[in-house]
Amino acid sequence: MQNPFKYSDDNKRYHTFNYYLRHHYGQKVYKVPLDANFTCPNRDGTCGYGGCIFCSSKGSGEFTISNISNIIEQFETNKKMMEAKWPNSLAIPYFQSFSNTYGPLEKIKKYLEPFINYPKVCAIAIATRPDCLDDEKITYLNSLTKYLDIYLELGLQSSNDNTAKFINRGHDFACLKTQVNKLNKTNIKTVVHIINGLPNETIDDMMKTIKDVNDLNIFGIKIHMLHISENTKLANMYKQASWDLLSLEQYVDIVIKQLEHLSPNVVIERLTGDPLKKELIAPSWVLNKTQVLNEIDKKMAYLNTYQGKALE
């Protein structure tokens, strides 16, 4: 069966980040994860303590090398591993751990500006939160787009404010909406993170989140399955009173429905996460990323569906 989705060179029926990068930059591009020693406002008492209940002590930066404080040395160390797999490619320094716009502007400049005009660097990706931005920071980040692309990743997880309170998010959906509206007036490429399978959420909640996010006219999205890892608040809750997590089949069905309600222009940066095997409690199926993606591809082909179909 011929693939009806226009933003694809293969069997994918959604707008993959790999497709976008190859067409935008004309060659293979990879991300290099970095830890710039930031924190979050729901960890230091500004709006809460302990961070989000699912977040590890590394602030979702499990694959960074946090023991190297010099950011260029850290970048080069991680880049060597990537180059072995993808030689002669372009790189994106990815500030992954915690909220990388949380702090004074001078600290942010210190970590970002070394990568301006850096050899084989085509962009910078920055993970942060909508409540860690202000007009001055947005103006500064937009000024960098004269030199290279800026991908700004904003954690949301759910547009349900009751869920946000339960997971100790520290901000509501209105906060994200306000900041995305500002970012849409710049050259910054805004990416939103969401999580499926959060405690107490129904399929309707997850579908509402995708529809709310789609209405924001964002550049891209990351969709994750909730996984429970050791040394998190969520792990303690699960050990005290475990609950049913989404099965692989349920997750695949939900993701496909979400993709159908996303504009085909929205770039899909992720459809599953990367937990550390030694720390994962549940569900075990999230460890097999290839299987998850293959099941999504197979079922989309079987249903002859694709990203944005429900919007036609």
Side-chain angles (χ1 to χ4, degrees), residues 143-206:
S143 74
L144 297 182
T145 63
K146 293 182 293 185
Y147 308 101
L148 74 181
D149 288 329
I150 298 295
Y151 298 89
L152 191 64
E153 302 184 6
L154 300 180
L156 170 66
Q157 319 320 345
S158 173
S159 64
N160 185 321
D161 288 341
N162 290 326
T163 299
K165 289 178 183 177
F166 183 83
I167 65 175
N168 195 38
R169 188 67 201 162
H171 67 78
D172 57 14
F173 178 63
C175 176
L176 178 104
K177 187 173 181 178
T178 296
Q179 299 296 15
V180 171
N181 287 337
K182 291 179 182 179
L183 291 164
N184 283 345
K185 298 174 183 176
T186 73
N187 294 316
I188 298 166
K189 301 178 189 294
T190 306
V191 180
V192 173
H193 291 221
I194 68 169
I195 296 177
N196 287 330
L198 289 165
N200 305 318
E201 286 225 325
T202 65
I203 293 176
D204 286 344
D205 291 321
M206 293 176 241

Side-chain angles (χ1 to χ4, degrees), residues 1-25:
M1 185 182 298
Q2 186 176 2
N3 187 349
F5 188 66
K6 61 181 178 179
Y7 299 116
S8 178
D9 294 326
D10 50 26
N11 67 324
K12 300 293 184 182
R13 289 167 174 253
Y14 54 91
H15 197 158
T16 69
F17 195 35
N18 185 56
Y19 174 93
Y20 171 82
L21 292 173
R22 284 190 177 276
H23 283 257
H24 186 65
Y25 298 107

